[in-house]
Amino acid sequence: MTSPPSPPPPIRVLIADDQVMVRQGFTVLLNAEAGIEVVGQAVDGLDALAKVAELAPDVVLMDIRMPELGGIEATRRLTARAGSPVKVLVLTTFDLDEYVYEALRAGASGFLLKDASAEELAQAVRVVAAGDALLAPNLTKRLIAEFSRVTAAPRVPRRERVGDLTERETEVLSLIAQGLSNAEIAARLVVAEQTVKTHVGRILVKLGLRDRTQAAVFAYETGVVRPAGY
């Protein structure tokens, strides 16, 4: 008789926030969720860097404003590490916050409001860990659009890299930036979802990006997608 397959290992989470009540509250909420395990807590950005090296989490919940080293710089250092698989989910009080935008540019995979429900928190961790969809696409898209609108020119000279994409890949990139999931893109283009996944993978490799959130930031910054009214 064939034995049942072993369950996948839990998603390992590190919580970095200088407020002890936030750390403890999120720890309780996430540990109550199936398939998620909080493996540690960090009190600031420097502590987060050390704990990531020690504990190898899959996802870091990163507060933006912390003493010693803030969440933006900590995110930048984490995602710049060669071969680093860790995903960063930044925590914020307001959904339209320029610091959140800077965190996305620094390499964060998405963001979450601190007053999110337990269900939203767990789903956000799962989505970011999977790396296969934008987190809260409407909010993320609105935030990126808002701060792209006030950016007079691309902040990084990367426009020439768009030329490496095929016409269909550029089209898929545009739809990613609009917050569409793979299934929604497949329906829009009338192709198989697996085909979309292949396009997304090639886009990330060609542009040297970590995930879909970074692809959306890239699309707005290079003018592939223009914010409404811009």
Side-chain angles (χ1 to χ4, degrees), residues 39-172:
V39 296
Q41 300 180 13
V43 300
D44 56 44
L46 289 176
D47 193 23
L49 294 177
K51 291 289 177 57
V52 167
E54 174 189 353
L55 302 171
D58 302 303
V59 176
V60 177
L61 295 185
M62 182 82 76
D63 187 25
I64 290 180
R65 298 172 180 85
M66 293 185 291
E68 299 299 330
L69 185 70
I72 294 174
E73 181 58 27
T75 297
R76 184 175 292 113
R77 295 186 190 184
L78 280 177
T79 58
R81 291 176 176 177
S84 173
V86 67
K87 301 294 180 64
V88 177
L89 178 61
V90 294
L91 302 171
T92 183
T93 305
F94 306 104
D95 62 0
L96 283 181
D97 184 331
E98 64 178 303
Y99 294 108
V100 177
Y101 177 66
E102 290 300 325
L104 292 175
R105 293 189 70 250
S109 295
F111 72 99
L112 185 71
L113 299 180
K114 284 190 175 183
D115 62 358
S117 67
E119 182 179 356
E120 290 170 333
L121 176 62
Q123 178 63 12
V125 168
R126 293 188 178 104
V127 167
V128 169
D132 60 358
L134 279 171
L135 173 63
N138 290 335
L139 290 178
T140 302
K141 181 177 66 174
R142 193 165 92 241
L143 182 142
I144 294 171
E146 174 67 20
F147 291 99
S148 292
R149 186 178 295 115
V150 299
T151 301
R155 302 179 62 177
V156 182
R158 303 185 293 183
R159 176 69 200 185
E160 65 277 3
R161 286 158 56 187
V162 178
D164 294 335
L165 303 180
T166 66
E167 182 177 349
R168 177 47 63 92
E169 287 167 351
T170 302
E171 188 175 11
V172 171

